[in-house]
Amino acid sequence: MSFNLPELPYPQDELEPHISAKTLSFHYGKHHKTYVDKLNLLIKGSEHENKSLEDIIMSTSGPIFNNAAQVWNHSFYWKCLRAGQDNNQPTTKIAELLTKTFGSIQKFIELFTDKAINNFGSSWTWLVINKNNDLEIINTSNAGNPITDGMKPLLTCDLWEHAYYLDYQNLRPKYIEAFWKLVNWDFVETNL
Ligand code: MN
């Protein structure tokens, strides 16, 4: 069994002007695809060949983990985004939870943004449900995925430079500002 590159949930120019079609053509068509191809090569003929992606992530380390987690993380990240909206507000249920946990939606956005700006190097920032069943903002490095710590991802922001360098060069805060216009809150709520 081998893994396929999942289809993007929208055309490659859907996120413009915030994330360009050029970025998506590299990020999805090259980076994400390469993780899928490498994972398939690494698991071929191994004990991991017929496992689910989640099982591989939970039971490996090193190159197999890195590629499997990057496949999962990217498939999830694409679903976290949709066409940009200037006044992009969370849906009712998630808005209530964010307000209860962080004080207000604005405060949540500030905290997540600050955590993402300060997430060193190639990394991901996540909104998760933690083991105490509370919402929490967490950072992972490289391919790190919260499911290995028993947490349930609700939303993620890819902070590898390949996610924003063509559009914003080194200006990660500008990319994160654009990210908030693109967040697919309907998808976030379905992850609850
Ligand atoms: Mn990426």
Side-chain angles (χ1 to χ4, degrees):
M1 194 185 87
S2 61
F3 293 100
N4 294 315
L5 178 66
E7 277 195 38
L8 259 191
Y10 33 72
Q12 292 195 2
D13 61 358
E14 181 88 348
L15 308 179
E16 291 199 342
H18 309 293
I19 296 177
S20 65
K22 190 174 181 189
T23 289
L24 276 203
S25 78
F26 281 94
H27 196 179
Y28 169 73
K30 305 283 186 204
H31 291 277
H32 192 181
K33 182 179 185 302
T34 300
Y35 295 126
V36 173
D37 293 345
K38 279 192 183 161
L39 176 64
N40 286 330
L41 275 175
L42 288 164
I43 61 172
K44 197 169 190 261
S46 82
E47 62 186 299
H48 306 295
E49 197 168 13
N50 295 308
K51 287 183 183 172
S52 69
L53 192 56
E54 286 81 5
D55 282 348
I56 295 174
I57 290 169
M58 297 299 283
S59 63
T60 57
S61 58
I64 294 182
F65 169 82
N66 288 338
N67 285 283
Q70 284 293 78
V71 171
W72 196 103
N73 295 356
H74 283 88
S75 302
F76 187 79
Y77 169 70
W78 304 131
K79 290 191 262 183
C80 287
L81 305 177
R82 65 180 170 199
Q85 298 178 26
D86 277 334
N87 186 27
N88 190 19
Q89 294 296 322
T91 45
T92 313
K93 204 170 164 192
I94 194 82
E96 281 171 12
L97 284 170
L98 291 173
T99 302
K100 193 174 132 215
T101 309
F102 302 103
S104 67
I105 292 158
Q106 193 49 43
K107 187 73 190 160
F108 159 72
I109 289 173
E110 283 169 26
L111 290 167
F112 188 106
T113 298
D114 187 60
K115 199 133 177 139
I117 287 172
N118 293 300
N119 198 355
F120 186 76
S122 298
S123 54
W124 300 81
T125 294
W126 307 78
L127 173 68
V128 299
I129 298 179
N130 66 21
K131 283 191 267 193
N132 298 325
N133 219 21
D134 293 321
L135 294 194
E136 187 179 345
I137 302 162
I138 65 148
N139 281 343
T140 61
S141 292
N142 300 312
N145 181 304
I147 67 173
T148 58
D149 291 319
M151 295 184 278
K152 191 176 172 190
L154 302 180
L155 169 69
T156 195
C157 185
D158 186 345
L159 299 165
W160 287 53
E161 279 189 343
H162 65 225
Y164 59 88
Y165 205 85
L166 292 174
D167 297 326
Y168 300 100
Q169 292 74 53
N170 61 324
L171 303 177
R172 186 187 283 186
K174 288 277 177 205
Y175 158 66
I176 298 166
E177 197 182 320
F179 169 80
W180 292 117
K181 297 192 173 93
L182 299 169
V183 170
N184 184 346
W185 289 109
D186 292 320
F187 175 69
V188 176
E189 184 152 324
T190 65
N191 294 320
L192 284 173

